Amino acid sequence: MIWSFIVATALITLLPGPSLLVIVSAALREGWRAGAAASLGVVTADAILLLAALSGLGALAQASPLILLGLKWLGAGYLLWLGVGQLRMLPSGQDAVAQAPGWAFRRGLMATLPNPKIIGFLIVYFPQFIQPGQDAARQMLLLGPLFLLTVLVVFLLCVAAARLLGEAVAGDGRCWPARLCGCSLIACGLYSALG
């Protein structure tokens, strides 16, 4: 059960989404430290949302459409802002030197935290791996941290891959992966707002 949980979590983490795009764009533009900081921001947001889902706040958000709608619009607006900001960065990465890793952490945190869909996902994901007839709380004490650790490891591997891609592409072509991430963040924001 543990290995199937780890594999499933790793595969779900690799699905393209706003969090992965923020991490990859931070790594491409600002380097390993920024990518790692953005990864920690996303995992911190995941931990907060996991605690919220387990404490019943997920049911409250699902019961109140107004709260859910507010979170949805907040998250969509933030993704649009991130995407436009990514497109406006200097192509040479000169502006990245001035950015502190704390900025990347906040971007990762805010790309994930206002997304109410994650709470719904966590509510339906974890019960698939809870063994009936055993203490569910004890199982969650194992699965929760294991989920966060798996997500962090996968994101750090993505940061390393993004850095390798960034180094392999030279000259003016170096901008296209970061610009693609910016366009993808805008698309995610529009999809979130309209979907």
Side-chain angles (χ1 to χ4, degrees):
M1 184 221 27
I2 295 296
W3 286 110
S4 61
F5 177 77
I6 291 171
V7 170
T9 301
L11 291 174
I12 288 169
T13 304
L14 285 171
L15 291 173
S19 300
L20 186 59
L21 290 169
V22 166
I23 289 166
V24 168
S25 66
L28 286 170
R29 286 288 190 171
E30 303 165 39
W32 166 259
R33 288 184 65 195
S39 298
L40 287 173
V42 170
V43 171
T44 300
D46 283 344
I48 292 168
L49 293 173
L50 181 59
L51 288 173
L54 294 177
S55 67
L57 292 178
L60 173 66
Q62 288 180 343
S64 175
L66 189 58
I67 291 173
L68 205 58
L69 185 63
L71 286 173
K72 175 182 172 181
W73 283 99
L74 177 68
Y78 187 71
L79 291 174
L80 289 169
W81 180 76
L82 280 177
V84 170
Q86 183 72 25
L87 292 176
R88 295 180 65 198
M89 284 187 172
L90 293 175
S92 64
Q94 294 166 348
D95 55 340
V97 177
Q99 300 289 340
W103 174 245
F105 177 86
R106 286 189 297 276
R107 275 188 291 178
L109 184 74
M110 291 309 297
T112 305
L113 199 55
N115 189 349
K117 293 178 186 175
I118 294 175
I119 292 177
F121 164 75
L122 293 171
I123 289 172
V124 298
Y125 182 66
F126 277 90
Q128 297 177 47
F129 298 96
I130 301 291
Q131 298 295 317
Q134 296 180 17
D135 185 10
R138 186 173 162 201
Q139 292 180 69
M140 283 304 299
L141 285 175
L142 170 68
L143 293 178
L146 187 58
F147 174 82
L148 297 172
L149 180 63
T150 303
V151 169
L152 179 62
V153 168
V154 169
F155 282 153
L156 291 176
L157 290 172
C158 290
V159 168
R163 291 303 304 153
L164 287 174
L165 174 66
E167 291 169 7
V169 181
D172 291 335
R174 192 173 201 166
C175 297
W176 73 264
R179 292 187 193 271
L180 180 63
C181 285
C183 290
S184 299
L185 284 168
I186 291 171
C188 286
L190 290 173
Y191 177 77
S192 181
L194 303 174

